[in-house]
Amino acid sequence: GAVYAAVDERLDAIVALKETLSNDDRLRKQFEQEARLLAQLHHPCLPRVSDYFSEGGRAFLVMQFISGPDLAQILQQQPSPFPRNQVIAWADQLLDALMYLPERDRQIIHRDIKPHNLKLMPNGRVALLDFGLAKTHTADHTTNSSNSIFGYTRRYSPPEQIRDLGT
């Protein structure tokens, strides 16, 4: 997909507008699932989704705009190692979010942790983005299904995910 900075004219706020660029029904369904999933999450390291809509055959989700560079951009510009206490603080925040995701009824596995999906906010906190490959399990015991699409990022995925053996 593509992500744009936009202005929500009703709320007079800058938002991120994410568009799916696929016409594949399965991928569009996954995009809608991503919107529903994120709308239910409330964690300081995760973006808040406020809307999902389709228009003119295109699907969009509206979410919190998180300014700042992603970790991949910062790594390219960083001439030396990051201070240890800074890395520990980022790791602590990320691990807190990753422990939050599979709690109770939401059973979420992100499956695409990489520098491009970690944004450093102006307040020094890290934000985990892009739930397009997230795997979910319903806690509703009448079904035992999981919803996800196959995908991975080379260099950042475990061998079992690359070989589609499950995560």
Side-chain angles (χ1 to χ4, degrees), residues 115-139:
H116 291 87
N117 289 342
L118 295 169
K119 204 155 206 199
L120 297 177
M121 298 184 279
N123 65 4
R125 294 194 61 85
V126 68
L128 176 59
L129 307 175
D130 196 350
F131 281 70
L133 294 181
K135 183 176 186 176
T136 62
H137 289 281
T138 60

Side-chain angles (χ1 to χ4, degrees), residues 32-145:
E32 183 177 353
Q33 171 70 18
E34 178 183 358
R36 291 179 189 281
L37 179 82
L38 286 171
Q40 297 173 22
L41 301 178
H42 305 284
H43 190 280
C45 293
L46 304 175
R48 297 288 312 268
V49 166
S50 57
D51 200 4
Y52 171 83
F53 64 95
S54 296
E55 185 174 303
R58 299 160 65 192
F60 301 88
L61 64 88
V62 180
M63 65 178 132
Q64 173 187 1
F65 177 78
I66 299 176
S67 64
D70 64 42
L71 189 55
Q73 293 168 318
I74 293 171
L75 286 169
Q76 286 179 340
Q77 299 169 354
Q78 182 72 15
S80 60
F82 291 107
R84 180 181 298 186
N85 62 341
Q86 188 175 37
V87 173
I88 290 171
W90 292 338
D92 189 47
Q93 294 165 36
L94 177 59
L95 290 172
D96 189 61
L98 293 174
M99 290 181 347
Y100 167 81
L101 290 173
E103 286 181 357
R104 295 188 190 95
D105 61 339
R106 62 180 168 264
Q107 299 300 310
I108 301 164
I109 303 172
H110 186 279
R111 300 194 320 159
D112 201 17
I113 307 295
K114 61 184 178 184
H116 291 87
N117 289 342
L118 295 169
K119 204 155 206 199
L120 297 177
M121 298 184 279
N123 65 4
R125 294 194 61 85
V126 68
L128 176 59
L129 307 175
D130 196 350
F131 281 70
L133 294 181
K135 183 176 186 176
T136 62
H137 289 281
T138 60
D140 165 349
H141 297 295
T142 61
T143 63
N144 191 9
S145 64

Side-chain angles (χ1 to χ4, degrees), residues 2-33:
V3 181
Y4 312 98
V7 176
D8 182 328
E9 292 179 344
R10 290 178 296 177
L11 300 175
D12 193 31
I14 296 174
V15 296
L17 185 67
K18 184 172 181 179
E19 176 185 12
T20 181
L21 300 177
S22 176
N23 290 325
D24 181 288
D25 285 341
R26 185 168 179 239
L27 293 176
R28 282 181 166 260
K29 191 83 168 158
Q30 181 66 20
F31 188 72
E32 183 177 353
Q33 171 70 18

